[in-house]
Amino acid sequence: MSSFSHDLTSYPLMQKLNVKSIQWLSTGVECDAVLNNFLQAFFVSLDCEFERQTTFFLKPALLQISNTEQVFLIDCAQGDAIHSTVLQHILKNPAIQKVVHSGQEDIEMLHQMGMSPHNLFDTQWADAYLREGGSRGLQKLVEEWLDLPLPKAETQSNWLQRPLSDEQLIYAAADAQVVALLYPILREKLEKNQHWSYVYEDCQWILQPKTVNPKNYWLEISDAWFLSHVQRARLYKLCEWRENKVRELNIPRRWLISDVHLYKMAEYNITSFSQLKNILSQVKNSVHHRFWPYAEECIDVMNHSENSINFLELPLPPLGRSTRKVQQQMADVINVWANKLGLPRNILASKRWLNGLLRNHLAMLLNQQTESYLAFIGWRSEQILPDLLQVLDQNSIELKDYLTSLQSYTATGSLNTSLTANE
């Protein structure tokens, strides 16, 4: 266990947050020795620092853990601290609530390191239940609920450097500590208005890492519907190639080639480098320079794509002007339930969730095989989903007419709709 050259708890912010001790842990032995007290805790707060600006996968740097008085900074970039048996028990123990703020990437980092936390609670999601206006950053929550300033100057600093600066150490400890202090306040308010069970249930699935199978990425692109069978096969193989390549190179998707460029390539039977270069020049945004060394490889992928035609599933049908009435009726249902439950509308169902449900329903009308839509599971499926499905059933004739018009559409490359998948 490493000690600092001076007492970090003497800093004004640490005193305001009532931090009694801050300790740096770099080995599994150190973690096992000092984290035993946390095994009996009702909850602990977690926060993570990492680097992802230049990579596809996260580069873990630091895991902070607090119990409102002690803060431990666990080195994830060096040493074997993350292999601590006690740390693993704390994270997996369902009796200990793990509290995070906007924790999707934090949980992703832990999963990437082989750790799967159970019993999760997100203060950002909890705060969104208590007010209109959507989710807020940690700084805003601390200002409102704790009446304290929270410096964020070190957010984009280099967390992989060693040693970390005092400013970074204070920042890291403060983030974990304020999350620990926010938890009992938010929990009390949620229990008082009887929304605790809703938030808890949401956090268990919202915080699970979202992984995309390279073979399924092409289905995230809504305009895939307007391609022919041959073009869809090209898009499928191009997306699969790109997803595997960025993982292999460990670079962001945008550093290789974007969805827009892949879609443009899928529209044509490209057989040469010059033809590829000419077609990609038609797209407004230029192709990243990292792509060109793999251009011939990409052409070969497209030329061997037709074998995929027969087993490809259909993409979900897109939405259009003719579905706006149904979309508004679904939004009206959410407004009614928001008033009934005393909850913010955006918490019950976002526009993206509603559109996803509608697109899944359109696919069912075409007898496509679809999975249940994840956003409307649990308490939403019991209370809200039946009313939404009733709206869809009542508009079945109009929706079938819309699908008929979609099916008669022949892709010409002139359709001007936006691509929805992440770049």
Side-chain angles (χ1 to χ4, degrees):
M1 179 164 37
S2 301
S3 59
F4 302 108
S5 59
H6 50 282
D7 184 12
L8 294 176
T9 62
S10 64
Y11 277 72
L13 180 59
M14 295 295 95
Q15 292 183 342
K16 289 179 182 178
L17 295 175
N18 197 34
V19 177
K20 302 300 184 185
S21 70
I22 304 173
Q23 297 180 47
W24 179 271
L25 306 176
S26 58
T27 70
V29 172
E30 291 174 352
C31 286
D32 289 344
V34 301
L35 292 180
N36 267 304
N37 291 339
F38 281 34
L39 288 171
Q40 307 304 318
F42 174 67
F43 78 94
V44 296
S45 67
L46 304 174
D47 188 43
C48 298
E49 308 301 338
F50 48 81
E51 201 280 331
R52 199 181 208 167
Q53 298 298 316
T54 62
T55 60
F56 182 86
F57 299 105
L58 293 166
K59 288 184 178 179
L62 195 67
L63 167 62
Q64 305 98 275
I65 181 169
S66 171
N67 66 351
T68 72
E69 292 189 352
Q70 296 174 293
V71 180
F72 294 102
L73 307 179
I74 301 172
D75 191 353
C76 299
Q78 301 176 1
D80 65 349
I82 61 173
H83 300 302
S84 161
T85 302
V86 175
L87 178 60
Q88 293 278 359
H89 286 168
I90 291 170
L91 295 176
K92 291 182 178 180
N93 187 344
I96 304 173
Q97 187 135 62
K98 270 63 72 175
V99 186
V100 295
H101 180 86
S102 186
Q104 288 89 345
E105 286 189 304
D106 295 333
I107 303 304
E108 180 184 349
M109 185 185 108
L110 294 175
H111 274 263
Q112 188 176 301
M113 294 189 297
M115 295 183 279
S116 303
H118 294 201
N119 190 1
L120 300 166
F121 178 85
D122 194 310
T123 56
Q124 185 179 63
W125 195 250
D127 173 69
Y129 261 81
L130 297 170
R131 49 178 291 282
E132 295 285 352
S135 60
R136 298 189 292 179
L138 185 58
Q139 192 174 42
K140 291 291 185 182
L141 266 69
V142 172
E143 288 175 0
E144 177 174 336
W145 297 110
L146 301 180
D147 193 26
L148 290 171
L150 184 65
K152 302 300 288 183
E154 300 300 319
T155 302
Q156 299 300 322
S157 62
N158 181 6
W159 289 99
L160 294 172
Q161 71 179 3
R162 295 294 181 268
L164 296 176
S165 67
D166 282 1
E167 289 75 18
Q168 287 177 302
L169 295 169
I170 293 298
Y171 170 97
D175 272 9
Q177 179 70 355
V178 296
V179 170
L181 296 175
L182 285 168
Y183 171 72
I185 297 172
L186 296 174
R187 175 159 186 161
E188 180 183 4
K189 291 184 176 297
L190 290 168
E191 289 178 338
K192 185 176 180 179
N193 60 24
Q194 299 183 336
H195 292 154
W196 165 258
S197 62
Y198 293 166
V199 177
Y200 178 79
E201 185 178 304
D202 285 354
C203 288
Q204 305 321 300
W205 66 268
I206 286 174
L207 289 173
Q208 292 308 308
K210 309 299 188 294
T211 57
V212 178
N213 186 329
K215 292 182 178 296
N216 295 335
Y217 186 93
W218 77 285
L219 294 170
E220 302 288 322
I221 301 176
S222 63
D223 286 7
W225 172 272
F226 296 101
L227 297 175
S228 68
H229 292 303
V230 172
Q231 291 170 326
R232 287 174 185 170
R234 287 194 203 112
L235 183 62
Y236 158 69
K237 293 301 292 184
L238 285 169
C239 287
E240 181 187 24
W241 171 83
R242 195 270 308 272
E243 290 301 290
N244 287 326
K245 185 62 69 175
V246 295
R247 287 164 171 77
E248 174 190 332
L249 300 174
N250 195 21
I251 58 174
R253 292 185 180 97
R254 67 183 184 278
W255 280 21
L256 187 60
I257 192 164
S258 71
D259 292 352
V260 177
H261 291 107
L262 292 180
Y263 188 91
K264 192 68 175 178
M265 292 161 63
E267 292 182 295
Y268 298 91
N269 180 26
I270 300 173
T271 59
S272 68
F273 181 87
S274 60
Q275 185 185 13
L276 173 64
K277 198 166 186 178
N278 179 58
I279 288 171
L280 290 180
S281 68
Q282 300 171 24
V283 180
K284 182 178 180 180
N285 297 324
S286 60
V287 177
H288 200 285
H289 67 86
R290 284 181 175 82
F291 167 73
W292 294 114
Y294 303 99
E296 294 291 349
E297 183 179 334
C298 208
I299 292 171
D300 186 62
V301 167
M302 286 187 283
N303 290 336
H304 291 85
S305 63
E306 292 193 14
N307 294 334
S308 307
I309 293 176
N310 293 330
F311 68 80
L312 280 184
E313 61 180 296
L314 290 174
L316 294 178
L319 306 181
R321 292 181 181 177
S322 299
T323 64
R324 288 178 183 173
K325 184 188 79 169
V326 180
Q327 289 171 273
Q328 183 57 55
Q329 290 177 7
M330 296 173 73
D332 292 341
V333 167
I334 298 304
N335 288 334
V336 170
W337 271 101
N339 291 329
K340 183 177 180 180
L341 296 174
L343 287 172
R345 179 201 174 284
N346 60 290
I347 277 293
L348 294 186
S350 66
K351 182 178 179 180
R352 181 171 59 87
W353 289 2
L354 293 175
N355 288 348
L357 179 63
L358 178 51
R359 291 183 68 197
N360 271 263
H361 185 76
L362 291 171
M364 290 175 59
L365 292 177
L366 292 174
N367 295 317
Q368 291 179 220
Q369 295 293 322
T370 63
E371 298 179 0
S372 59
Y373 192 59
L374 183 62
F376 292 95
I377 60 174
W379 68 270
R380 288 180 181 82
S381 70
E382 298 166 2
Q383 300 187 52
I384 302 170
L385 185 59
D387 289 353
L388 292 172
L389 294 179
Q390 184 178 9
V391 168
L392 296 175
D393 290 338
Q394 290 171 347
N395 288 276
S396 59
I397 295 176
E398 292 88 342
L399 292 175
K400 287 178 181 178
D401 289 342
Y402 170 67
L403 288 171
T404 299
S405 67
L406 273 183
Q407 289 175 308
S408 65
Y409 178 86
T410 302
T412 63
S414 62
L415 189 71
N416 183 21
T417 56
S418 61
L419 298 176
T420 60
N422 293 327
E423 295 277 313

